[in-house]
Amino acid sequence: LDGAHNPAGLAALRVALDEGFAGAARVWVLGVLAGRDADEVIAALAPDPTRDQIVCCRPPSPRALDPEALAGAARARGVPGDSVRVVPAVEVAVRAARDLAGAEDQVVVTGSLYLVGAARSLLRGRG
């Protein structure tokens, strides 16, 4: 879980993960608020199109960006269509990511503090 919610924070997250967990495939659970540029968000994460997967969802906020915009940006940046999913809610996204992840893969939830907070509550059994 990481509260990165702008391109600079997301790029820093990517660098930190690459330094600490080199070679790991990732399943990104991603949702952002409106006002963010979907292409800039995906560019900052720089998902590996050969092994990373992205589960896009709507953070629990009335200001949430449509997750289809993130999915479209990911596909436009070369992530294969079958590696990008759009789901309606945080609970579904976390469950999908856990199902998609292999034993050595990372599940990374980021993009909005609303999203991270909801995922944290869910994972701690409070959601």
Side-chain angles (χ1 to χ4, degrees):
L1 303 172
D2 192 286
H5 59 276
N6 60 43
L10 293 164
L13 169 62
R14 179 60 193 230
V15 168
L17 290 172
D18 285 348
E19 288 175 357
F21 304 96
R26 297 186 179 101
V27 180
W28 300 94
V29 176
L30 185 61
V32 300
L33 298 185
R36 300 289 177 215
D37 181 294
D39 184 62
E40 287 180 359
V41 167
I42 300 299
L45 287 180
D48 182 331
T50 65
R51 61 187 178 163
D52 287 359
Q53 299 186 63
I54 303 174
V55 181
C56 303
C57 68
R58 186 177 304 278
S61 167
R63 296 179 15 235
L65 179 71
D66 182 350
E68 288 288 348
L70 291 169
R75 290 182 193 109
R77 288 211 162 253
V79 180
D82 62 346
S83 293
V84 180
R85 289 161 183 75
V86 176
V87 299
V90 176
E91 301 82 20
V92 179
V94 169
R95 192 174 327 114
R98 292 174 91 180
D99 290 345
L100 290 167
E104 300 299 318
D105 297 345
Q106 295 176 334
V107 173
V108 182
V109 179
T110 193
S112 162
L113 291 171
Y114 291 99
L115 173 66
V116 169
R120 183 176 184 269
S121 291
L122 176 73
L123 293 168
R124 294 186 76 186
R126 299 185 205 153

